[in-house]
């Protein structure tokens, strides 16, 4: 399974996601894509197999990803305090990968119908979803 983790700002969410996936023992390849160098560095320290920073790496990584994981803001241009460019949001949205998005309900992106959870709870739920996907022989069907 080729997992692409996209995060920005300080990379805290991406770091915790990668640590959770590694702790769960998944046999997967993790590419960390930061919208800035701090985020990329944090995710590499957490155990990503490789990392890159910026718009073009997001576009390229989304082409081959099986799963893209990150905050819901990676689908919205100008989110994460302007770190997500329109081209990044389009690349994530048009990717054939399964998107595992965390509804952090920040930066004016509020997802109704979700319960308020801490970041740790969201990470645990994302890792559980990855485990279910892995145990079911792969990814859910693609549209």
């Amino acid at each position: 399974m080729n997992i692409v983790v996209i995060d920005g700002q300080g990379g805290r969410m991406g770091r915790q996601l990668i640590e959770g996936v590694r702790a769960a023992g998944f046999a997967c390849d993790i590419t960390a894509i930061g919208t800035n160098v701090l985020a990329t560095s944090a995710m590499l320290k957490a155990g990503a197999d490789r990392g890159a920073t910026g718009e073009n790496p997001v576009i390229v990584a989304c082409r081959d990803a099986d799963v893209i994981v990150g905050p819901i803001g990676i689908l919205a241009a100008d989110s994460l305090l302007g770190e997500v460019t329109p081209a990044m949001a389009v690349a994530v949205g048009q990717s054939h990968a399964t998107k595992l998005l965390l509804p952090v309900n920040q930066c004016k992106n509020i997802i109704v119908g979700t319960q308020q959870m801490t970041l740790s709870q969201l990470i645990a739920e994302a890792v559980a979803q990855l485990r279910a996907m892995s145990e079911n022989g792969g990814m859910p069907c693609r549209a």
Side-chain angles (χ1 to χ4, degrees):
M1 183 172 5
N2 179 18
I3 299 173
V4 172
V5 179
I6 302 173
D7 199 9
Q9 299 176 340
R12 180 173 170 235
M13 179 183 296
R15 176 181 51 83
Q16 290 183 359
L17 275 164
I18 292 167
E19 289 172 347
V21 169
R22 291 296 184 219
F26 292 115
C28 62
D29 189 61
I30 300 176
T31 302
I33 307 294
T35 60
N36 63 65
V37 277
L38 288 176
T40 304
S41 178
M43 292 187 285
L44 284 168
K45 288 177 185 172
D49 295 298
R50 71 195 53 76
T53 303
E55 180 180 86
N56 201 57
V58 169
I59 293 167
V60 172
C62 287
R63 292 179 193 153
D64 298 322
D66 294 315
V67 180
I68 298 171
V69 187
I72 189 77
I74 63 176
L75 284 174
D78 298 331
S79 64
L80 278 76
L81 300 175
E83 292 183 18
V84 176
T85 68
M88 290 173 169
V90 168
V92 172
Q94 289 183 344
S95 174
H96 291 288
T98 298
K99 287 92 172 165
L100 191 55
L101 304 169
L102 283 76
V104 292
N105 289 336
Q106 294 177 349
C107 300
K108 298 184 181 183
N109 291 316
I110 299 172
I111 296 85
V112 297
T114 60
Q115 55 185 322
Q116 289 291 0
M117 298 168 72
T118 66
L119 182 56
S120 296
Q121 291 170 320
L122 289 170
I123 299 298
E125 190 169 315
V127 171
Q129 182 64 42
L130 283 169
R131 179 175 306 289
M133 292 164 60
S134 177
E135 290 172 355
N136 291 330
M139 305 305 105
C141 63
R142 297 180 181 188

